Amino acid sequence: MVPTAERLQWLCFVSLLFWLLLAGPLAWSQVPADWQTFTDARTGYQLTYPHGWQVHEEEAPGVSFYVGSAWATTPVTVRFTVQPLPANRVNLPPLALGHLDSLWQALTALPQSQVVRLEQQEAGAFQEVRYEYTCADPGGRARVLGRRLWRGGYALQLEYRAATVQDAQYLAAGRQLLASFAFAGPGLPSRRYADQLCDDKVYGIAALWARDGTWEDDCRTIHEWAGSASLAAAPKVHRNALPFQSYALAKGFDNCLYSVTKSPTDQPERIYRYNPATRRGEYTGWELPAQGPGNVWISAATDRHGDLYFQTSDAHLLVRASPATDSVVVVWAADPLRKAAYYPAIGFAKAGTHANFGLDETGTLYEVYSTDGALLKVDMRTQRPAPGLFPLDGLPEQGGYSDVLLEQDNSGRRRLLLAGPKSIFEVDLERRQATRVRRGVYTDLAGCSLFRFSNTPVAAASTTSAGAEWLGRVLDAETLRPLPQAQLQFQGTGVAAGPRTLTAAGEFLLAGQAGQLYQVQAQLAGYFPIDTTYGLPVGQSGQDIVLRPLRTGTTLRLDNVQFEQGKAVLLPTSVPDLNRLLALLTANPPLTIELLGHTDNQGDAQKNVVLSEQRVSVVKDYLVSHGIATGRITGRGLGGTEPRASNDQETTRRLNRRVEFRITGGR
């Protein structure tokens, strides 16, 4: 199966990725109590770092942690950075922006690179990629692991970097430091459109203005009120806020106003954005389609998602512009009200328009008949009109009704405002009663407090049956060159039996189900075979498989051969690794090995040497009892002198209670 750009698209612009491979439960174990806490209230995060590590302050909000007495000579760094996303990527889903194929090519192009793990996850309020890789470095070989998170239009990155020779001393602490990172408080104000908190201000386009005592057409000036309950007060005036005359105005979640010209151009029209806070405006990249001959864009409104809607004067064309997705789509191209039984009563020649509209929280579109102010309703989901008109009491008989605005105040009170002849009315829908709240002629009203959702994140649905893909390579563990001739097999849910064909670069692609365990077997003559299990995360991920060459002097770990603490008693999980070593010795009769026993550093050092020798004897006895000649196996006990991981806590000490073997001849 050959990876392609189409199948592997998802992860680019990420620096290089994820956090965890062989250490299993140890990787993100509980942070020790004596660690120190670092909090950045402005950015809204905190983490803990080991006692004795130093803090290197950088240009805010960056910070680094290091060991040793001097930043310039430290062997280990953990660096945190925050960068704003470019404006054209702020509202796009971060995990959908990348291109895994491009990232994979960049990563595999690094000198002697090995992808230890890369993974993405959707956490609701933020998105994240975790990663770990090693590559050649001027000082030897470097290990890099980190977390890259996206929240509120910012990219945050926390990254550990050190030489691999420092793994035993610092890697476990580095993993725990990265794991301790968590958001604490709101942090930086979100730059994403969907995260904005729409305020209660209400706006209207003034149809007229007085100059030298004479009323003239305006449709460029915007009036601003503190809220729908404040309409009786004098408005804040934004004189000539629009560069054109307009009948249509919508308010976005970002508290900006969106409008389009009323000219009957029958040409595509770009939407204009005006920011009342700065009194500045600019054209957006969103373009409404041609409105049709003789038509104008007569009204606009905002729905509960913050999407903006514009409708033509004949009500035949309703268009949605979505700031959060940077898209424009046609909702309908034929007036749904023409299906209503009452339509002939309002749609005759020279009748008034009914295309001025507003939206409520249920997805219902309210239109107003310009002749008498009666309301008409359309279900946006089905595009079906309500069976009857909703006439209102308390309205003047003359026509000129030009907009509907529905909103909800902070106490939950629902309001419907109606722009009518020389006045704005508030409508009690239950009583169907209209009351004048302000005099003035307005072509459109705009507000959005009805539609704002809570920012409380929604719990993610279970993804145990979601699809998953694993991209990786089979590599030589020493040279990290690809081994395309290796035999590779997977077993598990939804995976066809049989060997997998590798590309010339040693690549493979496994498609399976997230949350399922897959058995992985890889072998090649001259290499120690592997037989292990791997759990696929949701979506796409990457990890290389490395095979250890069988050469005299090569030392190989038996990762799962472990013992009870303080005893030479094998744990049951040791059997598979012992059987693989047994199969290797059986298949290669000339091969001779030396077993190397290790303990943690707890207790008397000399007793630990004796214990490690006893553990070597236990492993040798197992092999000899299954037919391997005793002369092919020697052994040494090294006690706690060569730790593989930190001895500071039990979760890492258990990795030091192990057995390795070194090939001494036969290859």
Side-chain angles (χ1 to χ4, degrees), residues 301-363:
T302 310
D303 74 3
R304 59 179 180 168
H305 303 292
D307 290 342
L308 316 171
Y309 291 75
F310 295 83
Q311 185 161 243
T312 55
S313 53
D314 64 0
H316 270 318
L317 186 59
L318 181 68
V319 178
R320 179 178 67 242
S322 302
T325 59
D326 197 30
S327 63
V328 177
V329 298
V330 173
V331 179
W332 65 57
D335 180 11
L337 281 180
R338 303 216 172 195
K339 304 174 185 177
Y342 58 78
Y343 182 76
I346 65 170
F348 55 87
K350 297 184 180 180
T353 180
H354 58 272
N356 291 288
F357 74 102
L359 299 165
D360 76 359
E361 76 282 9
T362 68

Side-chain angles (χ1 to χ4, degrees), residues 65-305:
F65 305 88
Y66 66 98
V67 298
S69 58
W71 165 253
T73 58
T74 180
V76 178
T77 61
V78 177
R79 189 180 184 204
F80 176 75
T81 58
V82 179
Q83 295 292 334
L85 291 173
N88 62 350
R89 294 213 298 259
V90 166
N91 290 312
L92 300 180
L95 297 181
L97 289 175
H99 306 281
L100 181 59
D101 193 42
S102 299
L103 174 62
W104 187 260
Q105 295 302 321
L107 182 55
T108 55
L110 290 173
Q112 299 181 29
S113 67
Q114 180 196 353
V115 181
V116 178
R117 190 75 175 266
L118 66 88
E119 241 177 55
Q120 67 174 4
Q121 65 179 31
E122 171 66 56
F126 65 92
Q127 297 75 42
E128 179 176 8
V129 172
R130 297 184 176 187
Y131 59 91
E132 181 174 342
Y133 68 95
T134 66
C135 64
D137 190 70
R141 187 162 187 81
R143 183 179 300 277
V144 181
L145 59 151
R147 303 174 65 178
R148 188 173 178 103
L149 308 99
W150 293 269
R151 185 174 79 159
Y154 294 89
L156 302 86
Q157 187 171 21
L158 186 66
E159 185 173 270
Y160 166 97
R161 180 179 290 268
T164 54
V165 296
Q166 304 287 350
D167 284 357
Q169 189 169 2
Y170 299 116
L171 181 57
R175 292 192 195 280
Q176 291 178 322
L177 193 157
L178 265 64
S180 72
F181 177 91
F183 289 110
L188 297 169
S190 176
R191 299 167 61 229
R192 289 175 57 83
Y193 177 81
D195 294 337
Q196 303 307 307
L197 293 173
C198 191
D199 61 31
D200 295 334
K201 292 180 180 178
V202 174
Y203 300 85
I205 299 178
L208 303 170
W209 77 294
R211 185 168 64 175
D212 299 330
T214 303
W215 288 98
E216 298 181 356
D217 285 345
D218 189 345
C219 300
R220 296 174 184 265
T221 296
I222 294 175
H223 288 182
E224 173 188 321
W225 293 275
S228 58
S230 305
L231 289 175
K236 179 185 291 187
V237 177
H238 297 258
R239 180 71 184 143
N240 289 325
L242 302 177
F244 44 68
Q245 289 189 317
S246 177
Y247 291 152
L249 189 70
K251 180 183 177 185
F253 279 1
D254 54 2
N255 296 308
C256 290
L257 303 175
Y258 295 84
S259 187
V260 68
T261 178
K262 73 179 184 68
S263 298
T265 60
D266 195 22
Q267 296 290 327
E269 294 285 351
R270 292 176 68 188
I271 298 173
Y272 187 79
R273 179 196 292 115
Y274 176 73
N275 188 337
T278 63
R279 293 181 178 259
R280 294 181 179 179
E282 61 183 355
Y283 281 95
T284 69
W286 311 318
E287 191 173 74
L288 299 182
Q291 69 267 48
N295 269 313
V296 298
W297 295 104
I298 198 170
S299 187
T302 310
D303 74 3
R304 59 179 180 168
H305 303 292

Side-chain angles (χ1 to χ4, degrees), residues 481-499:
R481 292 178 179 175
L483 300 174
Q485 66 275 34
Q487 294 180 349
L488 181 64
Q489 295 192 67
F490 300 100
Q491 296 181 33
T493 304
V495 174

Side-chain angles (χ1 to χ4, degrees), residues 436-487:
R436 179 186 287 113
V437 293
R438 178 175 187 81
R439 294 189 180 274
V441 183
Y442 297 92
T443 68
D444 213 19
L445 303 175
C448 65
S449 58
L450 169 66
F451 310 111
R452 194 65 192 105
F453 279 143
S454 166
N455 277 335
T456 303
V458 179
S462 173
T463 55
T464 55
S465 60
E469 288 186 335
W470 173 13
L471 173 64
R473 299 172 297 170
V474 180
L475 306 175
D476 182 297
E478 294 184 359
T479 66
L480 294 174
R481 292 178 179 175
L483 300 174
Q485 66 275 34
Q487 294 180 349

